[in-house]
Amino acid sequence: METAETICTFWFGTTTDDATTIAEQSALWWSKRDEVDAAIRARFEPLVIQAGDGHLDAWLHTPIGHLALILLTDQFPRNIYRNDARAFAFDERALGWSNAAISRGIDRRCRPIERVFFYLPLEHSENRDDQAEAVRLFEALATEVPPHVRPAFDGFADFARRHREIVDRFGRFPHRNAALGRVSTAEEAAFLRQPGSGF
C-alpha cells in the first residue's frame, strides 16, 4: 500500500544528502522518457485521482504528507498525462497546497531539495503574481544552501526566471496550447518554433 513516505522515497531516494539526491534523481525528475511515464502511471495514477478528489487530505497534517500531495498533483500528472490536457488538471489543487504550506512555514521544515517541489506549482502557474513569487522563493532558497549544491539551486532559480519571462510576455505558456486546445497567436507560433520554447 502506498503512503506519503513511499511516494517521497520514490521521488527523492533514500539518501539525506541533497547533492546525492540531485545526482541520483534528476533523470527521474526532468527527463522525458516513455518508460518512466509508464512506471509512474502504473504505480501512482489511482493515487493522483484520489488526491485530486480530496480523498487524501488527511495527509496534510504532516510536512511529508503535504509534499506527497503536491507531488501527486503537480509532478506525476505531467508524466502520466504527457501532451494531454489532463497533465494540468490538478494544478489548482497543487497550487493551493503550495501556498498553504508556504504561508504556514511547512516548506521550511523540509530539506532544500524538497522545498524545490513545494515551489514548483507556483512556477507552473500561468498567473504573473505566482511567477514572481516563484522567482523570489527560488532565488532566496539558492542563497540558503551550502556552497557545494549552490550551482544546482542557482539552476532551479534560473528556470523559475525563464518561466516568469514567458508568462510575463504571453500571459500563459504557449507550449501548452496544443494539449489544452488553445489557438496560438502569431507571436506564440513564432516563439514555439524557437529552441527551448517549451519545458
Side-chain angles (χ1 to χ4, degrees):
M1 181 178 178
E2 300 290 354
T3 64
E5 288 76 13
T6 64
I7 290 165
C8 290
T9 297
F10 169 80
W11 200 246
F12 296 104
T14 56
T15 180
T16 58
D17 174 68
D18 280 357
T20 304
T21 298
I22 292 167
E24 293 180 350
Q25 301 298 113
S26 287
L28 170 66
W29 302 337
W30 314 127
S31 64
K32 299 176 180 179
R33 293 183 291 163
D34 291 343
E35 63 271 24
V36 171
D37 292 350
I40 293 175
R41 182 182 307 111
R43 182 171 172 182
F44 296 112
E45 185 176 22
L47 284 174
V48 168
I49 295 168
Q50 289 177 50
D53 288 340
H55 297 312
L56 301 178
D57 286 4
W59 290 8
L60 293 169
H61 296 301
T62 66
I64 193 170
H66 212 121
L67 177 57
L69 286 171
I70 290 173
L71 293 175
L72 285 172
T73 50
D74 183 67
Q75 292 298 309
F76 290 4
R78 285 165 164 75
N79 293 96
I80 294 170
Y81 307 116
R82 193 178 299 281
N83 302 318
D84 186 295
R86 291 174 295 173
F88 316 107
F90 305 96
D91 280 11
E92 285 302 315
R93 187 168 282 276
L95 182 62
W97 285 329
S98 174
N99 282 321
I102 293 162
S103 68
R104 293 163 53 196
I106 293 170
D107 58 312
R108 302 192 67 85
R109 294 163 60 187
C110 298
R111 295 164 51 194
I113 194 56
E114 294 171 339
R115 290 169 63 185
V116 167
F117 292 90
F118 275 103
Y119 304 157
L120 280 176
L122 290 153
E123 184 176 309
H124 290 155
S125 171
E126 293 185 317
N127 177 283
R128 290 183 174 93
D129 291 338
D130 292 336
Q131 288 294 323
E133 179 67 359
V135 170
R136 185 191 71 79
L137 288 164
F138 276 109
E139 289 182 342
L141 179 60
T143 68
E144 298 173 20
V145 298
H148 72 286
V149 292
R150 178 70 186 262
F153 284 83
D154 283 340
F156 299 143
D158 182 61
F159 265 89
R161 288 188 289 268
R162 289 170 57 191
H163 281 73
R164 180 187 61 187
E165 289 168 6
I166 292 171
V167 173
D168 281 350
R169 178 177 174 185
F170 298 108
R172 61 186 185 177
F173 291 114
H175 67 271
R176 295 184 186 176
N177 289 351
L180 292 171
R182 304 188 304 208
V183 177
S184 295
T185 65
E187 184 182 7
E188 287 175 335
F191 172 73
L192 289 170
R193 289 192 288 271
Q194 300 174 13
S197 60
F199 293 97

